[in-house]
Amino acid sequence: MDHADIVIVGAGHGGAQAAIALRQQGHEGSIILLGREQEPPYERPPLSKEYLAGDKPFERILIRPEKFWADKAIDLRLGAPVAEIDGLGHAVVLSDGSRIGYRKLIWAGGGDARRLSCSGANLKGVHCVRTRRDVDAIMQALEGGAQKVVVIGGGYIGLEAAAVLRKLGREVTLLEALPRVLARVAGEELSRFYEDEHRRQGVDVRLNTQVEALEGEDDHVSSVRLADGSSIPCDMVIVGIGIVPSVGPLIAAGATGSNGVDVDEFCRTTLDDVFAIGDCAAHANDFADRAIIRLESVQNANDMANCVARAIMGDKEPYHALPWFWSNQYDLKLQTAGLSLGHDQTVLRGDPSDRKFTLVYLKEGRPIAFDCVNTVKDYVQGRKLLESGPQQIDPDLLANPDVPLKELIYVRD
């Protein structure tokens, strides 16, 4: 049986950063990094932005040059999906039946794009945006003449894809089942702003819209039938309705978890010597009043990877990192710091008509998150304010864009 001191499952942001951090912190033992895809580790956010738009070739979204992994004595094995974990035997079993033993295992499996469950979901021309292969298939279809695109899902992936498709001159209809876009991650003011922006850019945004079925001709999607009986003709469908955490082998091996896999403050699962990081790791988050959540972000994947590397190297430090996110749509750069979960007040800072404003989310009088649209200074200073700890701040001061947020860090009622 093959064996490594540390086996990392998943070659996305979290897995790659775990391997990098271990070497940076002086780990000299063997490391095997297993990736399901045939591609070396690459950045995921550009897939729905610069890569889809053709602004960045694949080589420019690699996390590290290909030779980096060999130079750092990291055994990168691609096309190697894990089918099973033998917790007692400290080994992973690959889909081809081969086994790799480990002293420590870091699970960075991420997730798989959530698929539609309706009739016609498996027709050709139905795509998601999760891997390079997914986006290459979309680009090939566009090059083949696809003009009418239906995007299902009004989260970041769906909105970003819609923005790129409009830039490429395609006819785009965006369907959202909820009453507003970004409903799970942002306040109503931001949702309405982005809905208006996409409509201004020519996207047909339809809210409260349920998909009944996908219809096809010659096994290729040709229309989307809605619950009201109407149909939208299309050449392509892009589905962006979230992910399903990839944790099956962990749960089958006895790890605790319902929405993903549960981890403690050091990202340890309930299996001996097994850690989990990134999109699939359910943890008590300090910036969500210790609620058990999963965070699907590069920040979370990288910071959890660093936490695990420190723990393995004997420098245990609980995971405590401010969540942050970003989204590029048209000429709008949205930067988010913190989590707006449970907010009870929203303060508008600036004027949305100027396409430059900040939304501050408060809970019991204290800021818990910032959504910054084309306001980089607010984002940078807002992060520092949140990292400084809970504090109540006069909403009138927060609402005044002439008052720098950095001046409010120690201002208390």
Side-chain angles (χ1 to χ4, degrees):
M1 181 176 66
D2 204 353
H3 189 278
D5 187 45
I6 297 175
V7 171
I8 303 172
V9 177
H13 286 277
Q17 181 59 31
I20 292 168
L22 284 165
R23 289 295 187 234
Q24 288 175 335
Q25 295 181 33
H27 179 75
E28 297 179 352
S30 55
I31 300 174
I32 293 177
L33 176 58
L34 301 172
R36 285 191 297 177
E37 298 176 62
Q38 293 291 348
E39 313 290 355
Y42 61 90
E43 299 175 19
R44 307 289 167 153
L47 289 178
S48 57
K49 307 179 185 75
E50 300 94 336
Y51 185 68
L52 176 58
D55 295 334
K56 277 189 178 181
F58 182 70
E59 293 70 25
R60 287 186 57 198
I61 67 172
L62 290 174
I63 291 176
R64 292 290 190 277
E66 286 194 59
K67 67 185 295 290
F68 169 88
W69 307 104
D71 291 346
K72 295 298 182 182
I74 296 167
D75 185 356
L76 176 60
R77 303 188 186 184
L78 302 175
V82 171
E84 182 182 344
I85 294 175
D86 177 0
L88 293 177
H90 272 52
V92 297
V93 183
L94 304 186
S95 59
D96 63 5
S98 60
R99 295 169 63 91
I100 303 175
Y102 61 82
R103 181 178 68 86
K104 302 286 186 183
L105 173 65
I106 302 174
W107 185 273
D112 299 305
R114 189 179 298 277
R115 307 287 178 168
L116 293 173
S117 58
C118 63
S119 172
N122 295 320
L123 287 168
K124 295 177 182 177
V126 180
H127 304 274
C128 56
V129 182
R130 187 66 183 172
T131 67
R132 180 196 184 183
R133 183 177 180 180
D134 295 332
V135 179
D136 283 350
I138 293 173
M139 295 166 70
Q140 184 178 5
L142 294 173
E143 291 169 1
Q147 290 294 324
K148 297 181 178 180
V149 185
V150 174
V151 177
I152 300 175
Y156 287 124
I157 292 294
L159 293 174
E160 289 168 358
V164 171
L165 290 166
R166 286 301 298 143
K167 176 183 176 181
L168 297 176
R170 276 22 182 220
E171 182 179 328
V172 181
T173 302
L174 186 140
L175 309 178
E176 170 55 53
L178 296 175
R180 58 187 178 91
V181 302
L182 301 175
R184 296 180 178 88
V185 296
E188 184 169 355
E189 296 95 331
L190 194 74
S191 297
R192 301 309 179 202
F193 174 80
Y194 274 94
E195 290 162 10
D196 291 345
E197 176 64 20
H198 278 272
R199 288 179 174 129
R200 192 178 71 84
Q201 296 284 351
V203 178
D204 180 2
V205 178
R206 305 190 189 185
L207 308 173
N208 292 303
T209 302
Q210 305 292 330
V211 173
E212 184 74 19
L214 305 186
E215 301 170 321
E217 297 177 2
D218 300 325
D219 202 31
H220 192 283
V221 69
S222 60
S223 65
V224 177
R225 189 171 78 245
L226 306 180
D228 64 6
S230 64
S231 291
I232 305 171
C234 63
D235 305 313
M236 178 196 301
V237 171
I238 296 178
V239 180
I241 55 173
I243 70 167
V244 178
S246 179
V247 294
L250 286 174
I251 302 302
T256 300
S258 54
N259 177 22
V261 62
D262 296 339
V263 299
D264 68 8
E265 66 269 33
F266 304 109
C267 299
R268 297 176 300 195
T269 72
T270 53
L271 299 176
D272 290 340
D273 297 319
V274 178
F275 300 82
I277 61 177
D279 293 359
C280 66
H283 63 285
N285 192 279
D286 292 336
F287 295 90
D289 290 335
R290 301 294 292 169
I292 305 298
I293 62 173
R294 289 187 305 104
L295 284 177
E296 299 170 11
S297 72
V298 173
Q299 166 274 316
N300 181 60
N302 286 343
D303 286 334
M304 281 189 160
N306 294 333
C307 175
V308 169
R310 287 193 299 267
I312 289 176
M313 295 302 293
D315 181 23
K316 293 171 65 174
E317 183 178 327
Y319 177 71
H320 177 79
L322 177 71
W324 53 265
F325 316 85
W326 79 96
S327 177
N328 295 331
Q329 300 169 47
Y330 309 111
D331 62 340
L332 302 172
K333 185 176 184 65
L334 169 64
Q335 295 170 289
T336 297
L339 299 170
S340 60
L341 300 172
H343 73 277
D344 52 31
Q345 184 180 1
T346 305
V347 172
L348 174 62
R349 182 179 168 87
D351 187 349
S353 65
D354 294 334
R355 303 172 66 76
K356 184 177 181 180
F357 66 97
T358 296
L359 287 170
V360 187
Y361 299 91
L362 295 92
K363 184 176 182 179
E364 298 176 354
R366 58 183 178 86
I368 58 172
F370 293 83
D371 277 332
C372 306
V373 178
N374 290 340
T375 51
V376 176
K377 283 187 178 180
D378 276 3
Y379 169 69
V380 172
Q381 295 177 18
R383 281 184 60 172
K384 292 180 180 178
L385 188 154
L386 295 177
E387 290 170 341
S388 71
Q391 55 181 301
Q392 290 192 331
I393 299 178
D394 183 349
D396 290 337
L397 290 175
L398 288 168
N400 187 346
D402 294 327
V403 178
L405 291 174
K406 64 182 180 182
E407 294 184 4
L408 304 180
I409 292 178
Y410 300 109
V411 176
R412 301 174 186 268
D413 289 342

